[in-house]
Amino acid sequence: MNLRARSLVLVCALLSLTGPGAHAGDRHALLVGVSHYPTLNSRRQLPGARNDVDMMRAVLGRAGFGAGDIAVLAHALPGARTPTRLAILGALERLGRLAAPGKFIYLHFSGHGSQQPAAPGELAGETDGLDEIFLPADIGSWDGSAGVVRNAIVDQEFKQAIARMRARGATVWAVFDTCHAGTMSRSGEEGTRELAPGALGIPSELLKKHRRLASARTGFPAPAGRRRETAERGGLAVFYAAQSDQTTLEERFPDENGKPYGVFSYALAQALSAWPGASYRQLGERILTRYAAQNRYFPTPLFEGEMLDRPVFGGPALPPPQQWPVEHDKVAGTLSIAAGTLNQFGEGAVFAVAPAAAGGAGSAPVYLKATQVDILRSTLLPLGGDAAPDIKPGASARLVDPGLALSLRVAAPERPTGTLRAALARLRSAPAGGVPIIFRGAGQRADVALAARGAKIWLIPQGSRGAGPGREGGLSVPVGRDGKILAARLYERLERIAKIQNLLKLAAQMPLGAAGDKRTLSMQVRAAGSTQRFSVAKAEPARLRAGDRAYFRFDNGGTRSVDLTLLFLDSNFGIAPVFPYNSGEINRIEPGGHVEVAIDITSGTLGRERVLAIAVEAAPFSLVADFSFLAQRGAPADAPERNGDPDRDAAAGLHALLANAGFGAPHARGAGAPASWPRAAMAWYGWTTLARANP
């Protein structure tokens, strides 16, 4: 469910920011994970909801929340109580009594959700005539006489509980990783799990009636008598895992052998662990970037609240920690650190330990690589295969290479025959080179799934729901009769997808600027036939149509020159340079300067598209860096075209970062000192391109 209570949204817009950041003892949390529903069949159970709560408890503990200040309602977790309706509402009430100025309250809800017909007095505030509901463990079925689903928690109840906390001056951050009616669910590897209102016994005709009533009453004012909000109230940020008409997901992390988690909860925990000093908006953008790097076309998370540009938990804006204390188990003879995949590195990540801390007499640091990487724990081994160094107490391992996997995982189609079978055999036996492709069995988790449909083989990225004519996110190849030709065509398209994915993986890994960074990329849109522009937020992907024009502006408010490259990534996995566009065009942007470019949206490609910015500080008297060489074909000839650049002379720069993006070729890791991970900036804006509306 997407608990996007419209009344809650109205409150968001009216309330003000809280005061100074909260400290240990002033932070409280309620974590709710409903994994077991006794009244629902086995297909409706959600094992990952419990794991979401266990993971977030660990993440919050590292963020300064005391163990006694984190209330947990979940199944089969130490110290947790059953998440019934009474227990959840009671916990919210207790937090309401604790609330006070300077208090910070974090709320996290993982589980099923649905909708029910809105109460008569609430119809004016519900555009679809339905209330969002959260399903506790003791959920019942539809009670026609009372007009409610028994024991469901309605969005209004959440709104009222949060309003009470804020009325007492507390700051609230609420996260809803839940499924919604009809098309919303949390899904595992066995497929999507729906929980439509009909599964709760709500008559479909009653739902249709309330939707018709809501449509007829559009424009009615909100009920009178709402108390005027005051400046003394606490701030609010709300994160939703999906839009109200989308599906939330559950998968195994950190890989197929891991535990199931909510995809959104895992991405949030990862962002919090890697960038603890980020703003709420920056966390949202990092979650979207992670989704993009996984080729996820949906769901689209939603981020709301008036304090999105404040640092999380009310603390100071801090750079992300890139080093961790080394723990030495002398009995087992192993080294480890309390960090893992949630800290944005993987198997093979490289760390440096200062020579003095490693007991060395020389001036060179000792390098270690990560193995057995779990979500919050990793084992370290010497990079060159030597014996474990004598690490001194207090030594820290500094991350120098996050060990990104730049390969592409491909799930084979069901029972391939004939030409397709021969083509897949050629791909599997192809010599190493280019983008590494790892083949998985049919139905297994992968970046791209192959599906044979008629005379074509479709390449369906993870996160999409099938592909075909008129559906976004998929490429196709005619099967034909020649396995050699089909193998070449398939590899060309797989490589195209991998290069886009690798660029976005790098974007997800790049260092995060401090909240309020003065080097910014912004996007505006002018709709076809209009003279007005409107701004687009990074965390709210726009829907554009052929004939619209998109404007991208980069402002260098820093004190150093910046080299900039803008690339257009189309829905056919093509990459085209947008800036610099013409040969010899200057792309170094001096301090105080800016550049703005415009592209025309066409019907040449439809679906999810992006503009990616690559920027890095330029050293004085250095050559200008230009990453236009990353272009690859894929877009038809009528792809969006570059338009005029206002104040182009003010822009004098570009520099980039992809020192070793490699497009599938990470740098070799030998026993010697590895190259440091490039510190550059990458930002992007995404939108969905639609065909021009019929006149």
Side-chain angles (χ1 to χ4, degrees):
M1 153 184 152
N2 178 302
L3 275 169
R4 186 182 180 183
R6 292 159 182 84
S7 51
L8 178 61
V9 175
L10 290 175
V11 175
C12 292
L14 296 172
L15 304 185
S16 64
L17 299 173
T18 188
H23 302 283
D26 291 329
R27 296 179 175 183
H28 304 273
L30 171 62
L31 309 179
V32 178
V34 190
S35 289
H36 179 58
Y37 292 90
T39 60
L40 301 179
N41 61 39
S42 59
R43 293 187 303 108
R44 307 293 189 188
Q45 308 308 315
L46 303 177
R50 172 179 57 246
N51 297 331
D52 291 351
V53 164
D54 199 31
M55 171 181 62
M56 290 307 303
R57 179 162 55 178
V59 170
L60 293 180
R62 297 187 178 196
F65 285 72
D69 295 324
I70 303 175
V72 178
L73 301 178
H75 296 93
L77 288 182
R81 295 190 298 138
T82 303
T84 62
R85 170 183 167 83
L86 186 61
I88 294 171
L89 293 182
L92 290 170
E93 184 180 352
R94 285 190 291 275
L95 286 174
R97 293 196 299 268
L98 281 172
K103 295 281 188 178
F104 186 99
I105 297 174
Y106 177 81
L107 307 173
H108 195 108
F109 299 91
S110 290
H112 271 312
S114 192
Q115 288 179 310
Q116 69 180 20
E122 300 294 335
L123 272 175
E126 300 289 354
T127 58
D128 58 0
L130 305 176
D131 277 328
E132 285 79 23
I133 57 175
F134 181 77
L135 278 56
D138 57 343
I139 191 67
S141 57
W142 173 250
D143 184 339
S145 61
V148 297
V149 174
R150 289 193 297 271
N151 291 335
I153 301 178
V154 184
D155 53 8
Q156 284 291 322
E157 294 177 284
F158 283 112
K159 188 275 292 186
Q160 292 165 5
I162 292 173
R164 283 193 294 269
M165 299 173 198
R166 300 182 66 199
R168 296 172 64 89
T171 298
V172 180
W173 181 13
V175 176
F176 295 96
D177 190 355
T178 60
C179 57
H180 196 177
T183 58
M184 305 265 324
S185 71
R186 296 171 63 97
S187 63
E189 294 179 350
E190 301 305 318
T192 300
R193 300 169 185 166
E194 303 286 349
L195 194 66
L200 298 169
I202 303 176
S204 60
E205 287 303 318
L206 185 59
L207 294 169
K208 293 177 182 177
K209 175 183 176 182
H210 274 250
R211 290 190 178 103
R212 289 195 299 269
L213 285 172
S215 177
R217 299 173 74 147
T218 298
F220 272 45
R226 183 184 299 277
R227 186 164 62 86
R228 188 174 185 272
E229 312 296 349
T230 65
E232 287 74 33
R233 286 182 169 248
L236 178 67
V238 188
F239 282 22
Y240 307 99
Q243 307 285 333
S244 60
D245 60 347
Q246 292 179 328
T247 301
T248 52
L249 305 171
E250 187 172 287
E251 291 183 1
R252 292 187 177 275
F253 292 102
D255 53 35
E256 294 78 5
N257 298 320
K259 297 179 181 178
Y261 294 92
V263 170
F264 182 78
S265 290
Y266 191 86
L268 172 62
Q270 191 172 52
L272 274 172
S273 299
W275 298 285
S279 70
Y280 297 95
R281 190 184 305 279
Q282 288 175 321
L283 284 184
E285 292 170 1
R286 285 289 157 151
I287 291 171
L288 292 177
T289 301
R290 174 180 169 83
Y291 279 26
Q294 296 173 337
N295 285 321
R296 291 191 184 278
Y297 289 88
F298 70 93
T300 304
L302 180 68
F303 313 98
E304 296 181 332
E306 83 286 357
M307 67 176 199
L308 290 181
D309 292 312
R310 307 251 323 173
V312 295
F313 301 133
L318 300 173
Q322 293 294 303
Q323 61 184 31
W324 297 268
V326 179
E327 302 172 20
H328 196 168
D329 186 335
K330 294 188 177 181
V331 175
T334 59
L335 305 174
S336 65
I337 55 174
T341 58
L342 290 187
N343 300 91
Q344 294 281 283
F345 63 80
E347 296 278 349
V350 178
F351 297 83
V353 178
S363 59
V366 171
Y367 291 98
L368 307 172
K369 66 179 178 181
T371 65
Q372 301 178 30
V373 178
D374 205 341
I375 63 172
L376 285 170
R377 174 67 59 179
S378 302
T379 299
L380 302 181
L381 296 175
L383 184 63
D386 300 327
D390 182 17
I391 302 296
K392 295 183 178 180
S396 293
R398 176 175 56 86
L399 180 67
V400 296
D401 183 344
L404 286 181
L406 297 179
S407 58
L408 186 74
R409 300 171 302 172
V410 179
E414 296 278 357
R415 297 181 294 276
T417 60
T419 305
L420 178 55
R421 183 175 182 178
L424 293 175
R426 291 185 67 89
L427 286 175
R428 285 191 173 97
S429 61
V435 178
I437 296 178
I438 301 172
F439 279 95
R440 301 282 178 88
Q444 290 187 346
R445 184 177 169 190
D447 301 307
V448 178
L450 301 180
R453 296 177 182 170
K456 291 184 177 181
I457 179 75
W458 285 88
L459 293 77
I460 306 172
Q462 172 182 260
S464 64
R465 285 293 180 263
R471 305 186 71 174
E472 71 172 3
L475 299 176
S476 66
V477 178
V479 175
R481 298 182 179 181
D482 190 321
K484 182 178 180 180
I485 293 176
L486 177 57
R489 289 175 173 172
L490 281 174
Y491 183 82
E492 184 274 332
R493 284 156 177 77
L494 290 171
E495 185 179 48
R496 192 189 305 174
I497 294 172
K499 288 181 177 180
I500 293 283
Q501 180 172 290
N502 287 342
L503 277 175
L504 294 171
K505 281 182 179 179
L506 290 171
Q509 188 65 49
M510 285 298 108
L512 186 65
D517 195 335
K518 295 182 179 180
R519 291 171 182 157
T520 59
L521 178 70
S522 57
M523 175 182 176
Q524 291 185 320
V525 172
R526 190 186 73 193
S530 173
T531 59
Q532 301 296 318
R533 296 187 189 184
F534 63 87
S535 297
V536 175
K538 289 182 183 177
E540 298 177 10
R543 299 172 70 86
L544 307 184
R545 296 186 179 275
D548 295 345
R549 177 172 291 181
Y551 300 84
F552 299 91
R553 173 170 169 145
F554 180 86
D555 286 273
N556 184 7
T559 59
R560 298 282 299 274
S561 300
V562 173
D563 288 348
L564 176 73
T565 302
L566 296 177
L567 302 171
F568 170 61
L569 315 182
D570 68 49
S571 61
N572 278 349
F573 301 96
I575 304 174
V578 175
F579 179 78
Y581 185 70
N582 298 309
S583 177
E585 185 171 15
I586 300 299
N587 55 7
R588 176 160 292 173
I589 305 180
E590 304 295 349
H594 73 271
V595 64
E596 181 178 273
V597 299
I599 62 173
D600 290 329
I601 306 300
T602 75
S603 59
T605 56
L606 302 176
R608 190 61 57 87
E609 304 190 313
R610 303 174 181 91
V611 160
L612 175 71
I614 303 172
V616 99
E617 287 186 351
F621 310 110
S622 63
L623 295 176
V624 175
D626 178 355
F627 288 86
S628 300
F629 67 87
L630 298 174
Q632 66 179 18
R633 69 186 183 87
D638 59 346
E641 294 184 357
R642 161 77 177 278
N643 258 281
D645 298 336
D647 298 328
R648 195 176 80 179
D649 291 341
L654 134 47
H655 176 111
L657 56 98
L658 290 164
N660 212 358
F663 286 134
H667 69 263
R669 298 192 183 109
S676 295
W677 181 249
R679 295 189 60 82
M682 296 180 77
W684 60 274
Y685 274 90
W687 66 91
T688 299
T689 299
L690 307 172
R692 184 187 296 273
N694 294 327

Coordinates of all heavy atoms in Angstrom, one line a residue, residues 1-6 113-115 126-128 130-132 155 178-185 194 197 211 240-248 299-302 304:
M1 N 0.8 -1.2 0.0 CA 0.0 0.0 0.0 C 0.9 1.2 0.0 O 1.9 1.2 0.6 CB -0.9 0.0 1.2 CG -1.3 1.3 1.8 SD -2.2 1.0 3.3 CE -1.9 2.6 4.0
N2 N 0.4 2.3 -0.6 CA 1.1 3.6 -0.5 C 0.2 4.4 0.4 O -0.9 4.9 0.1 CB 1.1 4.3 -1.9 CG 1.8 5.6 -1.8 OD1 1.3 6.5 -1.1 ND2 2.8 5.8 -2.5
L3 N 0.6 4.5 1.7 CA -0.2 5.2 2.7 C 0.0 6.7 2.5 O 0.6 7.4 3.3 CB 0.2 4.8 4.1 CG -0.5 3.6 4.6 CD1 0.2 3.1 5.8 CD2 -1.9 3.9 4.8
R4 N -0.4 7.2 1.3 CA -0.3 8.6 1.0 C -1.6 9.3 1.4 O -2.4 9.7 0.6 CB 0.0 8.8 -0.5 CG 0.3 10.2 -0.9 CD 0.5 10.3 -2.4 NE 0.8 11.7 -2.7 CZ 1.0 12.1 -4.0 NH1 0.9 11.2 -5.0 NH2 1.3 13.3 -4.2
A5 N -1.7 9.5 2.7 CA -2.9 10.1 3.2 C -3.0 11.5 2.8 O -2.1 12.3 3.1 CB -2.9 10.0 4.7
R6 N -4.0 11.8 2.0 CA -4.1 13.2 1.4 C -4.2 14.2 2.5 O -3.7 15.3 2.4 CB -5.2 13.2 0.4 CG -4.9 12.4 -0.8 CD -6.2 12.0 -1.5 NE -5.8 11.1 -2.7 CZ -5.7 9.8 -2.6 NH1 -5.8 9.2 -1.4 NH2 -5.4 9.1 -3.6
G113 N -0.9 -3.5 2.7 CA -1.9 -2.5 2.8 C -3.0 -2.7 1.7 O -2.8 -3.5 0.9
S114 N -4.0 -1.9 1.8 CA -5.1 -2.0 0.8 C -5.9 -0.7 0.9 O -5.4 0.3 1.4 CB -6.0 -3.2 1.1 OG -6.8 -3.5 0.0
Q115 N -7.1 -0.8 0.4 CA -8.0 0.4 0.4 C -9.4 -0.1 0.9 O -9.8 -1.3 0.7 CB -8.1 1.0 -0.9 CG -6.9 1.8 -1.3 CD -7.1 2.4 -2.7 OE1 -7.5 1.8 -3.7 NE2 -6.8 3.7 -2.8
E126 N -10.7 12.6 -0.2 CA -10.2 11.5 -0.9 C -10.5 11.6 -2.4 O -11.7 11.5 -2.8 CB -10.7 10.2 -0.3 CG -10.3 10.0 1.1 CD -8.9 9.7 1.3 OE1 -8.1 9.6 0.3 OE2 -8.4 9.7 2.5
T127 N -9.6 11.8 -3.3 CA -9.9 12.1 -4.7 C -10.4 10.8 -5.4 O -11.1 10.9 -6.4 CB -8.6 12.5 -5.4 OG1 -7.6 11.6 -5.3 CG2 -8.1 13.9 -4.9
D128 N -10.1 9.6 -4.8 CA -10.6 8.4 -5.4 C -11.8 7.8 -4.6 O -12.2 6.7 -4.9 CB -9.5 7.4 -5.6 CG -8.8 7.0 -4.3 OD1 -9.2 7.5 -3.2 OD2 -7.9 6.2 -4.3
L130 N -11.6 6.5 -1.7 CA -11.2 5.4 -0.9 C -10.2 5.8 0.2 O -9.4 6.7 -0.1 CB -10.6 4.3 -1.8 CG -11.4 3.8 -3.0 CD1 -10.6 2.8 -3.8 CD2 -12.7 3.1 -2.4
D131 N -10.2 5.1 1.3 CA -9.2 5.3 2.3 C -8.1 4.3 2.2 O -8.4 3.1 1.9 CB -9.8 5.1 3.7 CG -10.5 6.4 4.2 OD1 -10.1 7.5 3.9 OD2 -11.5 6.2 5.0
E132 N -6.8 4.7 2.4 CA -5.7 3.8 2.4 C -5.7 3.1 3.8 O -6.0 3.8 4.8 CB -4.4 4.5 2.2 CG -4.1 4.8 0.7 CD -4.9 6.1 0.3 OE1 -5.2 6.9 1.1 OE2 -5.1 6.2 -0.9
D155 N -5.6 5.6 7.1 CA -4.7 6.7 7.0 C -4.9 7.8 7.9 O -4.0 8.4 8.4 CB -4.6 7.1 5.5 CG -6.0 7.5 4.9 OD1 -7.0 7.5 5.7 OD2 -6.1 7.7 3.7
T178 N 5.0 -0.4 2.1 CA 3.8 -1.3 2.1 C 3.1 -1.4 0.7 O 3.5 -0.7 -0.2 CB 2.7 -0.6 3.1 OG1 2.4 0.7 2.5 CG2 3.3 -0.5 4.4
C179 N 2.2 -2.3 0.6 CA 1.6 -2.6 -0.7 C 0.2 -1.9 -0.7 O -0.3 -1.5 0.4 CB 1.4 -4.1 -0.9 SG 0.5 -4.9 0.4
H180 N -0.3 -1.7 -1.8 CA -1.6 -1.0 -2.0 C -2.6 -1.9 -2.7 O -2.3 -2.9 -3.2 CB -1.3 0.3 -2.8 CG -2.4 1.3 -2.8 ND1 -2.3 2.5 -3.4 CD2 -3.6 1.3 -2.2 CE1 -3.4 3.2 -3.2 NE2 -4.2 2.5 -2.5
A181 N -3.8 -1.4 -2.7 CA -5.0 -2.2 -3.3 C -4.7 -2.5 -4.8 O -4.2 -1.8 -5.5 CB -6.3 -1.4 -3.1
G182 N -5.3 -3.7 -5.2 CA -5.3 -4.0 -6.6 C -4.0 -4.3 -7.2 O -3.7 -5.5 -7.4
T183 N -3.2 -3.3 -7.4 CA -2.0 -3.5 -8.1 C -0.8 -3.4 -7.2 O 0.4 -3.4 -7.7 CB -1.8 -2.5 -9.3 OG1 -1.8 -1.2 -8.7 CG2 -2.9 -2.6 -10.3
M184 N -1.0 -3.2 -5.9 CA 0.1 -3.0 -5.0 C 0.4 -4.3 -4.2 O -0.6 -4.9 -3.7 CB -0.1 -1.9 -4.0 CG -0.4 -0.6 -4.7 SD 1.0 0.5 -5.0 CE 2.0 0.4 -3.6
S185 N 1.6 -4.7 -4.1 CA 2.0 -5.9 -3.3 C 3.5 -5.8 -2.9 O 4.2 -5.0 -3.5 CB 1.7 -7.1 -4.1 OG 2.6 -7.3 -5.1
E194 N -0.6 -10.0 -4.8 CA -1.6 -9.0 -4.8 C -2.4 -9.1 -3.5 O -2.6 -10.2 -3.0 CB -2.5 -9.1 -6.0 CG -1.8 -9.1 -7.4 CD -1.3 -7.7 -7.7 OE1 -1.7 -6.7 -7.1 OE2 -0.5 -7.6 -8.7
P197 N -8.6 -5.0 -2.5 CA -9.7 -4.9 -1.6 C -10.6 -6.1 -1.6 O -11.2 -6.5 -0.6 CB -10.4 -3.6 -2.0 CG -9.4 -2.8 -2.6 CD -8.5 -3.8 -3.3
R211 N -15.8 5.6 -5.9 CA -15.0 6.3 -6.9 C -15.8 7.3 -7.7 O -15.4 8.4 -8.0 CB -14.3 5.3 -7.8 CG -13.2 4.5 -7.1 CD -12.4 3.7 -8.1 NE -11.3 3.0 -7.5 CZ -11.3 1.7 -7.3 NH1 -12.4 1.0 -7.6 NH2 -10.3 1.1 -6.7
Y240 N 7.5 7.2 0.9 CA 6.6 6.1 0.5 C 7.3 5.2 -0.5 O 8.0 5.7 -1.4 CB 5.3 6.7 -0.2 CG 4.6 7.7 0.6 CD1 4.7 9.1 0.4 CD2 3.7 7.3 1.6 CE1 4.0 10.0 1.1 CE2 3.0 8.2 2.3 CZ 3.2 9.6 2.1 OH 2.5 10.5 2.8
A241 N 7.1 3.9 -0.4 CA 7.9 3.0 -1.3 C 7.4 3.1 -2.8 O 8.1 2.7 -3.7 CB 7.7 1.6 -0.8
A242 N 6.1 3.5 -3.0 CA 5.6 3.5 -4.3 C 4.4 4.5 -4.4 O 3.9 5.0 -3.5 CB 5.1 2.1 -4.7
Q243 N 4.1 4.9 -5.7 CA 2.9 5.7 -6.0 C 1.7 4.8 -5.6 O 1.8 3.6 -5.5 CB 2.9 6.1 -7.4 CG 4.2 6.8 -7.9 CD 4.3 8.2 -7.4 OE1 3.3 8.9 -7.1 NE2 5.5 8.7 -7.3
S244 N 0.6 5.5 -5.6 CA -0.7 4.8 -5.1 C -1.2 3.7 -6.1 O -2.0 2.9 -5.7 CB -1.8 5.8 -4.9 OG -2.1 6.5 -6.1
D245 N -0.7 3.7 -7.3 CA -1.1 2.7 -8.3 C 0.0 1.7 -8.7 O -0.1 1.1 -9.8 CB -1.7 3.4 -9.6 CG -0.6 4.2 -10.3 OD1 0.4 4.5 -9.7 OD2 -0.9 4.7 -11.4
Q246 N 1.0 1.6 -7.8 CA 2.2 0.8 -8.2 C 2.4 -0.4 -7.2 O 1.7 -0.4 -6.2 CB 3.4 1.6 -8.3 CG 3.4 2.6 -9.4 CD 4.7 3.5 -9.5 OE1 5.3 3.8 -8.4 NE2 5.1 3.8 -10.7
T247 N 3.4 -1.2 -7.5 CA 3.7 -2.4 -6.7 C 4.9 -2.2 -5.9 O 5.9 -1.7 -6.4 CB 3.8 -3.6 -7.6 OG1 2.7 -3.8 -8.4 CG2 4.1 -4.8 -6.8
T248 N 4.9 -2.5 -4.6 CA 6.2 -2.5 -3.9 C 6.7 -4.0 -3.9 O 6.0 -4.9 -4.1 CB 5.9 -2.1 -2.4 OG1 4.8 -2.9 -1.9 CG2 5.6 -0.6 -2.3
P299 N 8.7 0.2 -8.8 CA 7.9 1.4 -8.5 C 8.7 2.7 -8.4 O 9.9 2.7 -8.4 CB 7.3 1.0 -7.1 CG 8.4 0.2 -6.5 CD 9.0 -0.6 -7.6
T300 N 8.0 3.8 -8.4 CA 8.6 5.1 -8.2 C 8.3 5.6 -6.8 O 7.2 6.0 -6.5 CB 8.0 6.1 -9.3 OG1 8.2 5.6 -10.6 CG2 8.7 7.4 -9.1
P301 N 9.3 5.6 -6.0 CA 9.1 6.1 -4.6 C 8.7 7.6 -4.6 O 8.9 8.3 -5.5 CB 10.4 5.9 -3.9 CG 11.1 4.8 -4.7 CD 10.7 5.1 -6.1
L302 N 8.1 7.9 -3.5 CA 7.6 9.3 -3.3 C 8.1 9.9 -2.0 O 8.2 9.2 -1.0 CB 6.0 9.3 -3.2 CG 5.3 10.6 -3.1 CD1 5.5 11.5 -4.3 CD2 3.9 10.4 -2.8
E304 N 8.0 13.3 0.5 CA 7.2 14.6 0.8 C 7.6 15.1 2.2 O 8.2 14.5 3.0 CB 5.7 14.3 0.8 CG 5.2 13.8 -0.5 CD 3.7 13.6 -0.5 OE1 3.2 13.2 0.6 OE2 3.1 13.7 -1.6

